[in-house]
């Protein structure tokens, strides 16, 4: 059962293919990530799925509704949290939610109840009646998430949900996203250029670069597809131990590096956590003294590097976004 | 096309809330027309007689409907600014992604702009009464309100048209002012139009505000250049056209 299906979705600006033949599917009730560097076309995809932009060609369906022929049905079934702030800072949090509820034509009794419910969900109940311009960045973001949930959407789009937030606030936003995915039974589609965010949150991801899909799977499968875990050992006599270890075929590869006092041994294995005790046992039996052990898992960063030959880079956000942010910052400061 | 009343209401309510929270806006936009009314009104009253104004009518009585028209024009057209602010602050995305017909959005925005303009128009009218402007009576007052609404609808929608095609707030203010000044100067707000050079007269006939000011003048002080029917007809046609055009252009807005 799919919440979203796209087939060869394309958006061209002149000669530039911002989104190039994207075919993907999002399962119902999963957290799905669009991962890629800034300018990869993630936001453009979201905007087309949210009916804000018309695709140049291709097909897309959200909750079974065509994004071109059934715009209103699509709009009703989605909630969206934009990358840039989109609340009215001259209104209070509650007024923003009330605006949303009414423009989505919710009945009065449902409206009041739901406002309190979503405020509670993002822990803004006690801040509901102050002006949004006096909110912190994290509070604004949480309010936007609450607003996106107001009308019981089936799919929630989150465009860079933690961009510009401090580490602690990021964590708490992640927790909200996980919780509402479970509690509200809602399909979440998020874009991010943070590898750790995609890894932590998403059941499945697509990696997008220059408007094209370069990988489409679960983070674990993607990481497994490019290689094994790496165990590093610092031992006194590396060469001997290396010879001993060649006898064990759970070790898929070995490298020895000479480092002043000790030698470092890098072993690539599957299921690294389970293999460490076995290797310790062998070392013990052989009488090899192990100074330290380290385990490194391949990250999505390695996956991206593997598929594109580049590391994901953090570019400046666009001028306009920067301006919007600046203006809002200033408005918050004054008053 | 379907009307979403809940959406229209909340878009209107938001404009109202923001308007009443910005006290400086109310006072600021009242000041200009009142300067004109008081200084020009009493100034010309003392020394100049227009031959086309009946002798029993003071110049300040003649001027007051024109100043109301001017206030409505400037206030209405600048309500397009709220759209640009929403663009700049990102709130327009929230409106555009909602499952609401674009026509309802335009109607809500227009209702908001018209209400604020109307409040200013009525305030100026009341202040005029206080400083001694004489009007025909209650019926005149009510019919003046009809004309105020028609003028506001026309120019609020025109402001939305400008706003849907522009990004920059300062540019918008510059352009609309550039547009509004000749409209206001050529509307007969200051002087009777009968004895103008013919080419100028044609320009005033093409100006929708001319009919608005004429309608207001007929309602408030009982003199008119055209007939009230013509005034109404022109304004109803023009405002309808503006609503249609602004809906069309508003639907084309892509938010990014």
């Amino acid at each position: 059962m799919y919440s979203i299906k796209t087939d060869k979705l394309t958006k061209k600006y002149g000669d530039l293919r911002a989104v190039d033949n994207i075919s993907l599917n999002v399962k119902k009730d999963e957290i799905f990530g669009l991962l890629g560097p800034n300018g990869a076309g993630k936001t453009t995809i979201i905007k087309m799925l949210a009916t804000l932009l018309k695709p140049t060609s291709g097909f897309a369906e959200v909750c079974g509704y065509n994004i071109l022929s059934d715009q209103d049905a699509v709009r009703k079934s989605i909630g969206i949290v934009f990358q840039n702030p989109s609340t009215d800072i001259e209104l209070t949090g509650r007024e923003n939610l009330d605006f949303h509820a009414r423009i989505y034509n919710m009945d009065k009794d449902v409206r009041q109840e739901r406002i309190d419910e979503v405020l509670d969900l993002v822990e803004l109940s006690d801040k509901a009646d102050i002006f949004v311009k006096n909110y912190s960045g994290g509070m604004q973001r949480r309010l936007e998430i609450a607003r996106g949930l107001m009308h019981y959407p089936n799919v929630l789009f989150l465009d860079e949900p933690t961009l510009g937030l401090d580490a602690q606030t990021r964590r708490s936003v992640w927790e909200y996203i996980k919780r509402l995915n479970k509690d509200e039974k809602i399909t979440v589609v998020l874009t991010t250029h943070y590898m750790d965010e995609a890894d932590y949150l998403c059941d499945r991801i697509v990696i997008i670069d220059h408007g094209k899909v370069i990988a489409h799977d679960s983070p674990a499968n993607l990481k497994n597809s490019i290689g094994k875990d790496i165990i590093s050992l610092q031992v006194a006599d590396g060469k001997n131990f290396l010879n001993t270890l060649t006898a064990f075929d759970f070790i898929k590869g070995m490298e020895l590096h000479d480092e002043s006092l000790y030698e470092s041994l890098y072993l690539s294995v599957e299921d690294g956590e389970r293999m460490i005790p076995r290797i310790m046992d062998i070392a013990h039996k052989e009488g090899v003294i192990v100074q330290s052990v380290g385990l490194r898992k391949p990250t999505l960063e390695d996956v991206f590097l593997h598929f594109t030959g580049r590391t994901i880079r953090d570019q400046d956000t666009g001028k306009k976004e920067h301006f919007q942010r600046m203006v809002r910052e200033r408005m918050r400061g004054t008053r | 096309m379907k009307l979403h009343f809940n959406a229209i209401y909340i878009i209107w309510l938001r404009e109202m809330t923001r308007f009443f929270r910005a006290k400086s806006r109310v006072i600021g936009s009242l000041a200009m027309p009142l300067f004109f009314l008081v200084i020009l009104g009493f100034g010309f009253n003392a020394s100049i007689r227009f031959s086309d104004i009946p002798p029993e009518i003071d110049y300040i009585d003649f001027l007051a409907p024109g100043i109301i028209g001017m206030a409505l024009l400037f206030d209405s057209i600048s309500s397009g600014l709220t759209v640009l602010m929403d663009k700049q602050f990102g709130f327009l995305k929230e409106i555009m992604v909602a499952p609401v017909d674009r026509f309802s959005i335009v109607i809500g925005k227009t209702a908001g702009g018209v209400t604020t303009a109307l409040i200013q128009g009525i305030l100026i009218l009341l202040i005029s009464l206080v400083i001694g402007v004489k009007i025909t009576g209650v019926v005149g007052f009510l019919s003046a309100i009809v004309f105020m609404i028609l003028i506001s609808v026309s120019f609020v929608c025109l402001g939305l048209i400008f706003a849907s095609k522009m990004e920059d707030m300062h540019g918008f203010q510059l352009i609309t002012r550039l547009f509004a000044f000749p409209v206001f100067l050529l509307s007969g707000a200051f002087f009777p139009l009968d004895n103008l050079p013919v080419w100028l007269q044609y320009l005033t006939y093409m100006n929708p505000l001319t009919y608005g000011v004429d309608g207001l003048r007929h309602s408030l002080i009982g003199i008119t250049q055209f007939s009230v029917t013509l005034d109404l007809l022109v304004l109803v046609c023009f405002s309808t056209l503006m609503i249609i055009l602004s809906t069309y252009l508003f639907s084309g807005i892509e938010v990014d």
Side-chain angles (χ1 to χ4, degrees):
Chain A
M1 178 68 187
Y2 292 117
S3 281
I4 295 174
K5 268 194 290 192
T6 77
D7 187 37
K8 301 199 181 73
L9 196 64
T10 301
K11 177 76 183 177
K12 282 199 275 191
Y13 292 104
D15 282 340
L16 176 77
R17 287 170 168 272
V19 172
D20 194 359
N21 278 308
I22 298 267
S23 301
L24 54 81
N25 56 66
V26 178
K27 288 181 193 152
K28 203 173 169 322
D29 296 341
E30 74 176 341
I31 302 185
F32 187 85
L34 297 156
L35 177 67
N38 287 324
K42 307 181 300 276
T43 301
T44 311
I45 296 174
I46 296 264
K47 284 198 173 137
M48 286 192 284
L49 294 177
T51 74
L52 284 173
L53 280 179
K54 287 191 170 57
T56 312
S57 64
F59 161 90
E61 231 176 43
V62 177
C63 301
Y65 302 114
N66 189 299
I67 58 161
L68 282 176
S69 57
D70 233 343
Q71 288 197 337
D72 263 10
V74 172
R75 285 176 183 151
K76 266 184 205 133
S77 42
I78 62 166
I80 180 163
V81 177
F82 297 99
Q83 184 169 344
N84 304 111
S86 65
T87 45
D88 186 342
I89 58 173
E90 302 286 339
L91 300 181
T92 66
R94 188 183 298 280
E95 285 168 342
N96 267 288
L97 296 178
D98 187 56
F99 182 93
H100 187 88
R102 285 179 197 259
I103 207 165
Y104 279 75
N105 209 13
M106 293 172 71
D107 286 336
K108 192 175 180 216
D109 38 334
V110 187
R111 204 160 65 212
Q112 297 309 331
E113 210 183 294
R114 184 63 174 166
I115 288 175
D116 290 331
E117 211 170 272
V118 293
L119 279 171
D120 192 45
L121 187 72
V122 298
E123 290 168 32
L124 280 177
S125 302
D126 53 334
K127 302 282 194 294
D129 296 308
I130 63 175
F131 289 118
V132 175
K133 62 183 162 196
N134 298 328
Y135 278 25
S136 70
M139 284 160 67
Q140 279 198 25
R141 194 34 68 103
R142 268 146 59 197
L143 179 67
E144 301 211 22
I145 293 176
R147 188 178 67 179
L149 292 170
M150 272 301 292
H151 57 285
Y152 303 98
N154 296 318
V155 179
L156 181 66
F157 291 105
L158 301 165
D159 195 2
E160 296 279 1
T162 63
L163 189 72
L165 299 183
D166 61 70
Q168 201 189 343
T169 316
R170 272 184 83 194
R171 272 278 157 193
S172 68
V173 169
W174 286 359
E175 294 317 315
Y176 293 126
I177 294 172
K178 280 224 169 208
R179 210 169 72 209
L180 63 94
N181 169 248
K182 252 204 350 243
D183 295 354
E184 303 254 328
K185 296 230 178 314
I186 193 170
T187 311
V188 177
V189 178
L190 61 90
T191 76
T192 182
H193 66 281
Y194 297 122
M195 298 289 176
D196 53 340
E197 185 163 292
D199 203 358
Y200 180 77
L201 281 176
C202 299
D203 299 312
R204 292 190 313 139
I205 58 175
V206 286
I207 297 182
I208 291 169
D209 192 32
H210 297 303
K212 287 195 175 72
V213 172
I214 57 175
H216 185 350
D217 208 335
S218 69
N221 284 351
L222 285 173
K223 285 182 291 190
N224 286 335
S225 74
I226 61 153
K228 320 278 180 284
D229 298 352
I230 309 233
I231 296 174
S232 58
L233 300 166
Q234 281 195 329
V235 288
D237 187 2
K239 233 163 268 159
N240 267 337
F241 193 41
L242 187 136
N243 286 334
T244 320
L245 288 176
T246 28
F248 299 90
D249 49 351
F250 71 87
I251 295 169
K252 310 289 183 205
M254 275 188 287
E255 264 176 69
L256 182 70
H257 293 280
D258 216 352
E259 279 157 22
S260 57
L261 210 52
Y262 291 97
E263 284 166 315
S264 289
L265 203 54
Y266 293 92
L267 314 174
S268 76
V269 298
E270 270 171 41
D271 217 357
E273 292 92 337
R274 287 169 180 281
M275 294 310 140
I276 289 176
R278 279 184 74 175
I279 291 165
M280 290 299 103
D281 271 352
I282 300 165
H284 192 68
K285 273 177 205 146
E286 295 290 317
V288 175
I289 297 162
V290 177
Q291 282 289 299
S292 72
V293 189
L295 174 66
R296 201 172 81 79
K297 298 253 172 199
T299 62
L300 285 179
E301 186 78 50
D302 299 314
V303 175
F304 189 82
L305 183 72
H306 174 79
F307 282 112
T308 64
R310 294 176 290 116
T311 53
I312 206 163
R313 65 215 175 266
D314 201 356
Q315 295 157 328
D316 285 335
T317 39
K319 258 189 202 150
K320 188 171 172 188
E321 282 87 83
H322 180 69
F323 177 73
Q324 278 186 357
R325 243 166 235 293
M326 222 171 59
V327 171
R328 293 175 73 99
E329 288 300 317
R330 218 183 280 157
M331 297 294 287
R332 270 222 312 275
T334 61
R335 186 194 132 74
Chain B
M1 226 181 277
K2 199 174 142 229
L3 279 178
H4 298 79
F5 290 104
N6 237 333
I8 294 174
Y9 170 71
I10 193 64
I11 291 173
W12 173 82
L13 184 68
R14 171 171 173 260
E15 301 292 327
M16 292 300 101
T17 311
R18 292 181 60 117
F19 176 73
F20 286 113
R21 280 181 191 164
K23 302 269 183 317
S24 57
R25 219 185 106 192
V26 189
I27 295 165
S29 51
L30 274 181
M32 243 259 282
L34 285 178
F35 287 151
F36 271 98
L37 181 65
V38 172
I39 298 169
L40 283 183
F42 287 114
F44 281 130
N45 221 8
S47 46
I48 294 180
R49 256 313 342 145
F50 287 102
S51 56
D52 299 320
I53 303 177
E56 69 276 13
I57 288 172
D58 283 340
Y59 178 68
I60 196 165
D61 299 339
F62 176 85
L63 184 64
I67 295 297
I68 293 170
M70 163 196 159
L72 293 174
L73 167 71
F74 279 89
D75 198 68
S76 299
I77 210 161
S78 72
S79 69
L81 206 56
T82 64
V83 175
L84 286 184
M85 280 176 66
D86 286 350
K87 262 190 205 175
Q88 209 116 51
F89 280 85
F91 194 76
L92 194 62
K93 285 180 287 197
E94 155 78 350
I95 298 176
M96 296 305 265
V97 81
V100 171
D101 198 280
R102 309 293 105 154
F103 181 59
S104 303
I105 298 176
V106 169
I107 295 296
K109 275 274 175 199
T110 307
V114 168
T115 313
T116 55
L118 202 60
I119 291 171
Q120 316 237 357
I122 292 173
L123 279 178
I124 291 170
L125 179 53
L126 293 178
I127 295 171
S128 313
L129 294 179
V130 171
I131 61 173
V133 172
K134 298 172 287 295
I135 65 168
T136 51
V138 178
V139 180
F141 184 86
L142 294 178
S143 111
I145 287 183
V146 173
F147 278 101
M148 286 190 206
I149 293 174
L150 286 172
I151 295 171
S152 310
V153 171
S154 305
F155 292 108
V156 167
C157 288
L158 196 67
L160 293 182
I161 290 171
F162 277 115
S164 64
K165 287 280 147 203
M166 296 181 73
E167 296 285 333
D168 176 39
M169 289 198 266
H170 300 295
F172 176 86
Q173 279 168 313
L174 220 69
I175 298 287
T176 51
R177 220 159 274 168
L178 210 66
F179 171 86
F181 261 101
V183 167
F184 142 64
L185 290 173
L186 289 174
S187 68
F190 286 153
F191 42 77
L193 302 173
D194 296 329
N195 288 333
L196 292 182
V198 177
W199 63 272
L200 209 54
Q201 227 165 24
Y202 279 124
L203 278 180
T204 62
Y205 292 162
M206 289 189 311
N207 180 0
L209 188 62
T210 305
Y211 303 89
V213 169
D214 194 57
L216 284 174
R217 208 162 265 153
H218 177 267
S219 313
L220 293 174
I221 59 171
I223 61 170
T224 173
Q225 182 177 14
F226 315 108
S227 70
V228 194
T229 326
L230 180 67
D231 293 338
L232 268 179
L233 198 69
V234 171
L235 284 176
V236 168
C237 290
F238 184 70
S239 54
T240 311
L241 181 72
M242 287 297 105
I243 292 177
I244 294 170
L245 206 59
S246 57
T247 306
Y248 173 73
L249 287 173
F250 212 80
S251 309
I253 295 182
E254 283 197 339
V255 278
D256 52 6

